[in-house]
Amino acid sequence: MASLIYHVAVSLDNFIADQAMMDGNIDSTLFLFEGEHVPNFLSEIQEYVAVLMGAKTYEFGFKFGAKPGEPGYKGIKHYIFSNSIQFESNAEVELVKGDAIEFIKNLKQQENGKLWLCGGGELAGALLAHQLIDQLVLKVNPVMVGEGVPLFGSTKPRLKLELVDMKQYANGVTKPTYNIIYI
């Protein structure tokens, strides 16, 4: 059985994207895209057998030249959950329409290893509500953005978290890893 890990960058006020990113203006975002946490992250994602993301997260890559049906991360199977995007699934990228919860329940049963939920907030909130996320890995940026995409979308979770690892980087980014304890 696979474990589902929500591994995501977040601001101190729990947003996974600020208004600048939502508007497509990556140059004015407060999130940090440079520093030693970046190569560490790129190395860590190679441990995942698949990446799961919602439509908005997947479409964010289009701003950087990615095309529908192309993987955002080479060498990792992609599952894109959307009822609005249109492209043909292929060996690298599978478009999943319909019930994401049932699909992910089945995927967790069929796969071994680690599945990476990289966004978005609403998908994460739905998965959390169904107790499908096993671990939370946060790249906490030393910024407060005030508004944007909340970590768990509109879901207001009530959880216990068990800290299993903590890294701190020179640029102020911290990376706590928590096991989720559902109550």
Side-chain angles (χ1 to χ4, degrees):
M1 181 170 178
S3 59
L4 181 57
I5 300 161
Y6 188 21
H7 189 157
V8 66
V10 65
S11 65
L12 280 172
D13 50 352
N14 288 321
F15 292 101
I16 61 173
D18 61 12
Q19 193 60 48
M21 280 194 270
M22 292 168 55
D23 294 340
N25 190 355
I26 197 76
D27 292 332
S28 66
T29 183
L30 294 177
F31 279 78
L32 303 177
F33 289 99
E34 294 181 2
E36 64 184 297
H37 70 286
V38 176
N40 185 282
F41 167 72
L42 294 173
S43 173
E44 288 175 346
I45 64 173
Q46 297 306 311
E47 299 172 11
Y48 294 109
V49 295
V51 58
L52 290 65
M53 62 182 82
K56 291 177 187 168
T57 301
Y58 184 62
E59 289 173 332
F60 185 72
F62 299 170
K63 296 175 186 356
F64 303 97
K67 304 279 187 266
E70 291 181 348
Y73 302 95
K74 300 288 184 205
I76 303 172
K77 173 72 177 189
H78 287 53
Y79 294 97
I80 311 304
F81 298 89
S82 175
N83 290 317
S84 60
I85 295 178
Q86 299 294 324
F87 66 84
E88 291 295 320
S89 293
N90 57 63
E92 294 176 293
V93 182
E94 183 174 334
L95 178 60
V96 180
K97 295 181 176 281
D99 191 346
I101 302 302
E102 279 306 308
F103 184 92
I104 293 170
K105 279 183 187 176
N106 291 332
L107 185 63
K108 284 184 70 173
Q109 292 295 325
Q110 295 168 6
E111 288 287 341
N112 289 312
K114 299 190 305 187
L115 302 172
W116 171 28
L117 173 62
C118 78
E122 289 300 329
L123 178 59
L127 294 171
L128 193 70
H130 286 87
Q131 300 186 356
L132 290 173
I133 300 175
D134 301 296
Q135 196 170 68
L136 188 57
V137 179
L138 301 174
K139 294 175 302 219
V140 183
N141 283 247
V143 299
M144 295 185 76
V145 298
E147 62 181 338
V149 178
L151 180 62
F152 291 107
S154 58
T155 300
K156 305 293 182 210
R158 183 172 153 81
L159 302 167
K160 287 186 177 184
L161 301 172
E162 173 191 20
L163 182 67
V164 294
D165 190 42
M166 172 65 90
K167 289 190 178 171
Q168 184 172 348
Y169 299 96
N171 63 357
V173 171
T174 57
K175 192 185 81 169
T177 300
Y178 299 100
N179 287 335
I180 296 177
I181 302 167
Y182 291 97
I183 51 178

